[in-house]
Amino acid sequence: DKPVFTPSRLVVKYGDPASVICTCQQECLNEIFNIEHSVGKVTINRTTISWNIDSFTEWTARLQCYYNKAAENVSDPDVQCCTILPLTVYKPPDKVSFSFVNHTGPLIEAHPYTLQCTVHNVAPVEKVKAIFYRGHSVVGQVQVKNSYGKKPMTQSYTLDVTPHKGEDGAAYWCAAELVLGPEGPQPPPVVISQNMTTTVYYAPKLQVPKHPGLITINEGNQLKLDCSSDGNRVPHTSGRFHRVAFTGAASSLSNLQLLNMRASTPVLSATAIGTSLRSFM
């Protein structure tokens, strides 16, 4: 039987102490029994070997426990039984930063944007899961599929989003979580980015009927009409003239007209036939 490591997998933070035990069966008593190691020291006690290190600072270290089993026939070669310890040396990121790819300033409703989460100086990068948030809600998660080696590196993760009106003023941010398995620290190490509060421009909506009926008013009476609108940012309102029926002297008809309202932002607009009177000389 092959020798057995305890624990069966070692997860250690860079610079921390570590230790494992290798055990073999009775047949290794009279054989060569040891741990092949590049760092640390071993202590052998019959069928048990202890390995330990005060500070683990090797990114590519390898531990292999083995014993040589003598061949049953003199003409046959000896057989080596060995077990390689799965080993992960990890380092949390120095920092995590958040940004929009190729964009600064306000967002436009229904337009696509790309979020970017950059994880700085982390190892191993294939164990990193980048989690994107909008406020307290998870927008998405990204993890690299290929191994990039064991030493620390900086990696960027991206996610596409399409903002909507209700997200105006929301804070975007991201977190880097090291997914190290049950042998790793619990809960997993997490480093978060700064918040980025966003402004979403959305099309204004006029608060008037699109096709109001004909308005009739007696001469001398006041008529107050609303041309308010909902939009982000503060909309600009304009109009063009339409006819309004007026009960009174015919000479007054030229003084009142009905407006066709239009509300717009610098990038978005909406139109509707409003009901606003305007007098002119």
Side-chain angles (χ1 to χ4, degrees), residues 72-170:
E72 296 180 0
N73 299 318
V74 178
S75 59
D76 294 335
D78 292 345
V79 177
Q80 186 179 79
C81 290
C82 64
T83 300
I84 298 174
L85 177 69
L87 173 61
T88 300
V89 184
Y90 73 92
K91 175 192 172 299
D94 291 341
K95 68 174 182 176
V96 176
S97 55
F98 176 85
S99 63
F100 283 83
V101 177
N102 298 325
H103 180 80
T104 58
L107 310 178
I108 301 176
E109 182 185 30
H111 283 230
Y113 297 91
T114 301
L115 310 180
Q116 180 169 281
C117 186
T118 302
V119 185
H120 301 262
N121 202 32
V122 64
V125 72
E126 64 267 21
K127 300 293 183 182
V128 175
K129 178 169 62 177
I131 308 172
F132 293 84
Y133 291 87
R134 184 193 306 113
H136 298 293
S137 301
V138 175
V139 180
Q141 303 180 8
V142 181
Q143 192 167 2
V144 294
K145 297 180 179 180
N146 300 319
S147 175
Y148 287 87
K150 298 181 177 181
K151 294 184 178 182
M153 64 176 297
T154 296
Q155 177 71 28
S156 292
Y157 306 80
T158 58
L159 182 73
D160 294 333
V161 295
T162 303
H164 299 284
K165 173 182 176 180
E167 298 165 12
D168 181 46

Side-chain angles (χ1 to χ4, degrees), residues 32-62:
I32 299 175
F33 176 44
N34 210 331
I35 290 182
E36 183 180 299
H37 59 288
S38 57
V39 294
K41 58 183 179 180
V42 299
T43 302
I44 303 175
N45 183 12
R46 292 172 57 82
T47 60
T48 300
I49 301 179
S50 299
W51 172 90
N52 66 83
I53 188 171
D54 294 333
S55 177
F56 208 119
T57 57
E58 285 286 336
W59 296 108
T60 58
R62 185 173 183 268

